[in-house]
Amino acid sequence: MRPTVGQAAALTAMLADHCSLYNGALQERRDAYRHVSKTSIEYGQQSAQLKEIRSFDPERQGRWSFSSQQATLRRLDKAFQAFFRRVKAGDTPGCPRFRGVNWFDTVDFPKDGDGCRWDSTPHDPVTRVRFQGVGHVKVNQHRPVAGNVKTVSVKREGKRWYVILTADQADQAEPEPWPATGSVVGIDMGIVNFLADSGGEFVPSPRHGRKAAAKLESAQQALSRFPRVRRDKRTANHQRAVQRVADLHRKVRRQRLDHAHKTALDLVREHDFIAHEDLRIRNMVKAPASKPDPGQPGIFLPSGAAAKAGLNHSISDAGWGGFRTILHAKAESAGREVIAVDPRNTSRTCPECGHVSAENRPTQEKFHCVSCGHTAHADTVGALNVLRAGLVRRDARKG
């Protein structure tokens, strides 16, 4: 979006008021549960209070769309549902927290035409979107919108504003599958190489985060010299320092996305079937637990936390999770098949004789079977075993 100065101020105020509504609803839920009665408040009860809240505060809460405020309350309700689901499953729960005004950057409009209107000036060659309380905002539309717009969202990234649309394409024809290639592939994702395929090819890891680390460190050091104050209390130099850090993070994120899109597109173009490891990335990047020294209270034994922190940083920099999401989406639209398989022992199993042993992998890159003597790159061996497991799963599905 390309808002004017006044429109940008109105959008900022809208985010701040929705943040205030979110935090107020969260405080009400906490206070009710801390009461001796252990009362649980749900979305329906808080949504019913909106009319009174809007009439009490017409200059702020009453200024914005009723439906968007309901969406904000629904967003909090989903956070609590996820919290209780994690508690029930025995996972680390992570209770919903209060949001600072700088950490609330999205407002959702559940229905186009209710508080918002996409392409609000169809007679004008310039595309605009209208928001209640803001007006008609100019949009730099990067591609045509296919289908009927259902929901509209506003997102802030630094000083930039975006409008995000979801469209219903049920009335349109299904995407036509791409021509079959007759090729199948398994991929093994790693750190040194972003991925290795079963054909012996490698995609080098771009390491965008590591390349930008020096600039980011310098920018963060410059930002740390300013005191922590509210957004409206920052000096011009402070604001520029904040913007510098945000711009560097944004650039790295977009570089990762660009690499993931291009790599996934190459795989989908060349292969009809793709198998990959079903990695539990969240568990892989957990910090090791501390080890208290039983002989010296208050002293801890080495746990390898420093080395694990470096590995965790490399895993996050690779962006495996985003790549898998993009790969599945592109494969679905192209009529390709993607299957995730269990990653256990994929790099320890010999593809020639089937022998499984940790000794088969003497180094990070080398695979040498202690049973039959087969040697290869360890990542290529992993990709071969992933492909075989994927084909077995595919045949089992077909019956």
Side-chain angles (χ1 to χ4, degrees):
M1 295 193 295
R2 297 289 188 264
T4 63
V5 174
Q7 289 172 341
L11 289 169
T12 302
M14 180 175 67
L15 290 179
D17 291 339
H18 277 75
C19 178
S20 176
L21 178 66
Y22 182 96
N23 289 337
L26 174 57
Q27 184 66 56
E28 183 183 30
R29 289 192 180 220
R30 286 191 171 190
D31 292 344
Y33 188 76
R34 286 171 180 168
H35 192 264
V36 292
S37 60
K38 298 289 185 181
T39 304
S40 294
I41 297 181
E42 299 181 350
Y43 162 75
Q45 297 169 278
Q46 293 189 317
S47 179
Q49 302 175 41
L50 274 177
K51 185 176 180 181
E52 183 179 352
I53 292 173
R54 291 167 60 86
S55 62
F56 176 77
D57 189 9
E59 296 298 324
R60 295 183 60 202
Q61 298 298 339
R63 180 182 176 186
W64 314 114
S65 164
F66 189 92
S67 297
S68 67
Q69 292 172 325
Q70 286 182 316
T72 297
L73 295 179
R74 200 174 293 113
R75 174 176 170 183
L76 175 65
D77 188 63
K78 289 181 179 178
F80 269 98
Q81 290 176 9
F83 166 70
F84 291 125
R85 183 178 65 251
R86 291 191 294 270
V87 170
K88 188 175 180 180
D91 299 334
T92 304
C95 184
R97 297 179 294 178
F98 293 103
R99 300 294 188 91
V101 69
N102 296 337
W103 295 94
F104 196 95
D105 295 321
T106 306
V107 171
D108 300 320
F109 294 82
K111 182 180 179 181
D112 183 31
D114 188 358
C116 66
R117 171 64 69 184
W118 170 249
D119 197 10
S120 57
T121 55
H123 56 279
D124 196 322
V126 178
T127 305
R128 289 182 172 84
V129 58
R130 181 187 179 277
F131 298 108
Q132 179 177 330
V134 178
H136 300 270
V137 184
K138 187 183 297 186
V139 177
N140 181 19
Q141 188 175 351
H142 62 88
R143 62 175 176 177
V145 177
N148 300 320
V149 175
K150 307 299 288 186
T151 68
V152 181
S153 299
V154 174
K155 184 177 181 181
R156 175 180 60 191
E157 285 189 8
K159 289 186 176 181
R160 302 186 181 187
W161 295 90
Y162 298 91
V163 56
I164 304 170
L165 312 174
T166 60
D168 183 8
Q169 302 182 21
D171 297 336
Q172 297 187 2
E174 292 293 328
E176 189 173 333
W178 291 4
T181 63
S183 174
V184 296
V185 71
I187 59 175
D188 180 275
M189 289 177 282
I191 300 298
V192 178
N193 293 304
F194 181 72
L195 64 84
D197 64 28
S198 53
E201 299 295 329
F202 298 91
V203 176
S205 180
R207 300 184 180 183
H208 297 298
R210 180 172 295 184
K211 292 178 181 177
K215 291 183 179 180
L216 187 57
E217 180 182 7
S218 176
Q220 288 174 329
Q221 287 177 347
L223 176 60
S224 67
R225 299 187 184 101
F226 295 95
R228 294 178 63 88
V229 294
R230 292 187 329 190
R231 182 191 294 260
D232 57 342
K233 298 293 184 180
R234 294 171 182 169
T235 63
N237 288 337
H238 190 175
Q239 291 175 355
R240 280 191 287 270
V242 171
Q243 188 64 33
R244 173 63 175 164
V245 174
D247 288 343
L248 288 172
H249 279 295
R250 183 186 304 110
K251 181 177 180 179
V252 171
R253 183 175 66 255
R254 291 185 173 182
Q255 285 175 327
R256 288 196 189 111
L257 282 175
D258 179 71
H259 180 263
H261 275 284
K262 291 177 179 177
T263 305
L265 183 58
D266 289 341
L267 288 171
V268 170
R269 279 175 175 167
E270 297 172 4
H271 308 286
D272 297 335
F273 174 82
I274 304 167
H276 68 83
E277 297 169 297
D278 188 13
L279 300 174
R280 298 291 185 263
I281 301 174
R282 180 175 296 180
N283 295 336
M284 295 174 67
V285 296
K286 283 185 177 179
S290 56
K291 299 178 180 179
D293 189 344
Q296 304 181 63
I299 304 299
F300 293 88
L301 299 173
S303 62
K308 187 64 169 64
L311 176 62
N312 293 348
H313 184 76
S314 297
I315 292 174
S316 300
D317 192 16
W320 295 340
F323 168 73
R324 291 190 310 186
T325 302
I326 293 170
L327 176 62
H328 279 262
K330 289 186 181 297
E332 182 179 0
S333 64
R336 308 301 201 202
E337 188 174 6
V338 178
I339 288 182
V341 302
D342 190 342
R344 287 178 293 183
N345 293 324
T346 53
S347 61
R348 298 178 177 181
T349 303
C350 179
E352 296 295 328
C353 66
H355 179 68
V356 182
S357 174
E359 298 176 356
N360 286 349
R361 191 171 183 177
T363 65
Q364 184 68 24
E365 295 184 359
K366 184 179 179 181
F367 180 91
H368 180 80
C369 180
V370 296
S371 177
C372 69
H374 175 69
T375 59
H377 195 287
D379 292 342
T380 302
V381 170
L384 282 169
N385 291 322
V386 167
L387 174 59
R388 292 180 179 180
L391 292 173
V392 170
R393 288 198 61 187
R394 183 187 67 173
D395 295 341
R397 284 182 181 180
K398 294 180 179 178

